[in-house]
Amino acid sequence: MDYYPAQIISKGVNKSVKIYRLHGIDKAQAIQRLKDGKDVYTTKSKANTLAKELSRGQGIWKDDAHVIGGYRHYHDVDHHYRSHIFFGEPKV
């Protein structure tokens, strides 16, 4: 499996991203998670492809990590789904 469920964890003002690497999912499950407003982790290339598919080929929205320990990520171009497609290593 190349896709993994992910979740932003908030502890007061501190936020982090948890990736569930033991529970790989397939591409169809990843797309459904994103449409449900949930997050996914994958490779940069696959993250880009997912964002394009969610945007129906209309572009992508690439975003930097917002917090220490966060990940760079993509969104669908209009940020309609409010989900994150994380990739790479956490920001230090």
Side-chain angles (χ1 to χ4, degrees):
M1 300 283 170
D2 294 324
Y3 306 92
Y4 301 92
Q7 181 179 6
I8 296 174
I9 306 292
S10 296
K11 295 180 183 174
V13 296
N14 298 321
K15 291 184 179 181
S16 62
V17 175
K18 181 169 177 126
I19 300 168
Y20 299 91
R21 294 181 192 268
L22 297 177
H23 305 285
I25 58 176
D26 64 25
K27 186 176 181 181
Q29 290 170 309
I31 289 173
Q32 189 58 55
R33 273 188 69 81
L34 296 165
K35 287 181 175 181
D36 290 343
K38 298 177 182 175
D39 305 319
V40 170
Y41 176 87
T42 190
T43 65
K44 182 177 181 179
S45 173
K46 291 180 191 282
N48 183 295
T49 299
L50 285 177
K52 285 180 183 175
E53 288 187 28
L54 285 176
S55 301
R56 295 182 198 94
Q58 300 302 305
I60 58 168
W61 177 348
K62 187 176 179 183
D63 218 346
D64 199 9
H66 302 298
V67 297
I68 300 297
Y71 291 80
R72 292 178 294 158
H73 56 279
Y74 289 101
H75 300 281
D76 60 282
V77 72
D78 295 323
H79 208 354
H80 172 75
Y81 294 108
R82 309 302 293 171
S83 51
H84 302 83
I85 311 166
F86 298 111
F87 65 91
E89 297 299 320
K91 178 180 176 182
V92 286

